[in-house]
Amino acid sequence: MDQEQELQFAGFFSILKKSFTIIFSWRKIFSQITIYLVLPLSFVFLAHIQLSQLLFFKIFRTHHTLYFYNIEPGTVYAKFSRMISSEWTAFWLFKIAYFLFVLIFSLLSTAAVVYTVACIYTSKPITFKKVTSVVAKVWKRLIVTLLWSFAFVFVYNIIAGAVFIAACVALYRANRSIAVAVLLALLFLYLVGLLYITIVWHLASVVSVLEEVYGIKALIKSKNLIKGKLWVAIALFVLIGIFFFGIQMVFEIFVVFGWPEEVGMRILIGIFCLLLMVKLILVVLVIQTVLYFVCKSYHHQIIDKSSLSDHLEAYTGDYLPLKASNVQMEQVQQ
């Protein structure tokens, strides 16, 4: 069975195996990507949790002092009010800075890993210097796709919120058990829809790098590609979500809230969570790229490696978007 047939019939475990094989076989280039891109992203994500808690608790203590001691309006009251305003300002400025940093490094990491895996697939020589030159040219395409994804999530949340409010109003006088069951069902459907959007967005990020489309066109192409492999993708991303949530919870319990009071132990657990987060993010980026090739093969679209190689080579020179007939996979008739 050749590589195309392997990808066509790849399932949950095959994709995981293929992803880990790629990472271990090309440790040098992935180690470089990890150190310069994935590690800063992971560190800032975990540090953000710690700092957000510190800033929030500081605001809470100021609020508590102001209202618990029933401070009357006056000079002292005005001083505490200004403190609360400045603390909230610092909190939101920190959130904005965090969001921008994570946005930039997540886009750079995605572009670097997708390009690297595609070069490995086409047996193309790859160096970290070449990866960085490509990343600088492709991130704009990724950010357009990301903004469209945010727009869909925003609209989806508005619609979901309206449905929840309408359901609460309709079920106000209903039996409590029925109301709870309906609301839980709606919550489950909401999470399923959010998971689907997440999968489509991740695959669209790969499309934006490896094909000439991006933005809403990449999302539409991703939606069509995922058909037939949706359950495999759901299983993969649910597993990823469980690991992601688990690492975050361990970090919050043992590091942020300091369940073990020993500082040394908290530092060790923090480093352990950081290493796990680094590995998880790298694996996720490789998985989404492998999933792209699997979906292409599933739809009987043979990958023209020479055309894809030319498309990748174009990034290192003057980027010229290739036509669909050249870069895209040639449709194979059964």
Side-chain angles (χ1 to χ4, degrees):
M1 182 179 292
D2 60 21
Q3 188 175 10
E4 289 297 332
Q5 289 176 313
E6 271 185 44
L7 290 174
Q8 181 181 344
F9 297 106
F12 175 83
F13 293 105
S14 299
I15 292 174
L16 286 177
K17 181 181 177 182
K18 183 72 174 176
S19 300
F20 282 111
T21 300
I22 290 172
I23 294 171
F24 289 129
S25 299
W26 296 81
R27 283 189 291 270
K28 182 179 178 180
I29 185 67
F30 283 113
S31 296
Q32 291 172 320
I33 292 173
T34 298
I35 292 171
Y36 290 103
L37 297 174
V38 180
L39 179 59
L41 176 62
S42 304
F43 177 81
V44 169
F45 173 77
L46 293 178
H48 154 262
I49 299 174
Q50 175 74 66
L51 293 175
S52 292
Q53 291 290 345
L54 291 175
L55 291 172
F56 184 78
F57 284 142
K58 185 179 180 181
I59 295 170
F60 177 78
R61 283 194 298 268
T62 307
H63 269 283
H64 179 75
T65 302
L66 180 62
Y67 295 105
F68 181 79
Y69 292 101
N70 196 24
I71 297 175
E72 298 293 333
T75 305
V76 177
Y77 184 89
K79 180 182 177 181
F80 273 94
S81 296
R82 286 195 299 270
M83 285 178 59
I84 292 172
S85 297
S86 62
E87 287 170 357
W88 273 117
T89 301
F91 179 82
W92 288 114
L93 286 175
F94 168 73
K95 285 288 187 179
I96 293 171
Y98 161 76
F99 174 78
L100 291 176
F101 185 93
V102 168
L103 175 64
I104 292 170
F105 271 83
S106 62
L107 293 176
L108 296 180
S109 300
T110 299
V113 173
V114 171
Y115 178 79
T116 301
V117 175
C119 286
I120 293 170
Y121 181 83
T122 56
S123 303
K124 204 176 155 47
I126 182 68
T127 62
F128 185 70
K129 183 178 180 181
K130 184 180 289 187
V131 169
T132 54
S133 67
V134 169
V135 166
K137 296 182 179 182
V138 77
W139 73 272
K140 292 180 181 178
R141 297 160 61 85
L142 281 170
I143 200 168
V144 173
T145 302
L146 180 64
L147 289 175
W148 272 103
S149 302
F150 281 169
F152 278 112
V153 171
F154 179 73
V155 173
Y156 177 74
N157 283 328
I158 290 177
I159 295 173
V163 171
F164 271 107
I165 292 172
C168 289
V169 172
L171 296 169
Y172 179 70
R173 297 183 180 279
N175 180 275
R176 180 176 296 180
S177 299
I178 296 175
V180 170
V182 172
L183 292 177
L184 287 176
L186 289 175
L187 178 61
F188 175 77
L189 292 175
Y190 167 77
L191 293 176
V192 169
L194 197 61
L195 176 62
Y196 178 76
I197 293 174
T198 301
I199 293 170
V200 171
W201 163 54
H202 276 274
L203 202 60
S205 297
V206 183
V207 172
S208 299
V209 176
L210 300 185
E211 304 185 13
E212 77 273 17
V213 297
Y214 56 94
I216 190 170
K217 291 182 179 179
L219 290 168
I220 293 172
K221 178 156 286 191
S222 173
K223 181 180 73 69
N224 294 329
L225 272 178
I226 206 68
K227 293 177 181 177
K229 289 292 181 178
L230 181 58
W231 288 109
V232 173
I234 288 174
L236 287 169
F237 278 86
V238 166
L239 179 64
I240 290 166
I242 291 171
F243 276 103
F244 185 84
F245 180 75
I247 294 170
Q248 184 175 343
M249 289 303 298
V250 169
F251 185 81
E252 289 188 4
I253 293 171
F254 294 99
V255 179
V256 176
F257 297 109
W259 184 67
E261 295 183 359
E262 297 84 355
V263 176
M265 182 61 68
R266 292 172 64 181
I267 292 174
L268 287 176
I269 295 175
I271 294 173
F272 178 69
C273 290
L274 176 61
L275 294 175
L276 288 180
M277 185 62 70
V278 166
K279 293 180 182 298
L280 179 62
I281 292 176
L282 179 62
V283 169
V284 170
L285 294 175
V286 175
I287 284 176
Q288 71 183 33
T289 311
V290 173
L291 181 62
Y292 165 84
F293 287 113
V294 168
C295 290
K296 281 290 187 181
S297 296
Y298 176 81
H299 289 286
H300 308 291
Q301 297 173 343
I302 291 187
I303 300 171
D304 187 343
K305 292 187 179 181
S306 61
S307 294
L308 180 57
S309 180
D310 292 340
H311 178 67
L312 298 174
E313 189 65 37
Y315 281 121
T316 59
D318 294 327
Y319 174 65
L320 297 173
L322 302 181
K323 301 295 182 181
S325 58
N326 294 327
V327 159
Q328 304 309 318
M329 317 315 174
E330 183 182 340
Q331 189 72 29
V332 177
Q333 301 297 328
Q334 290 279 20

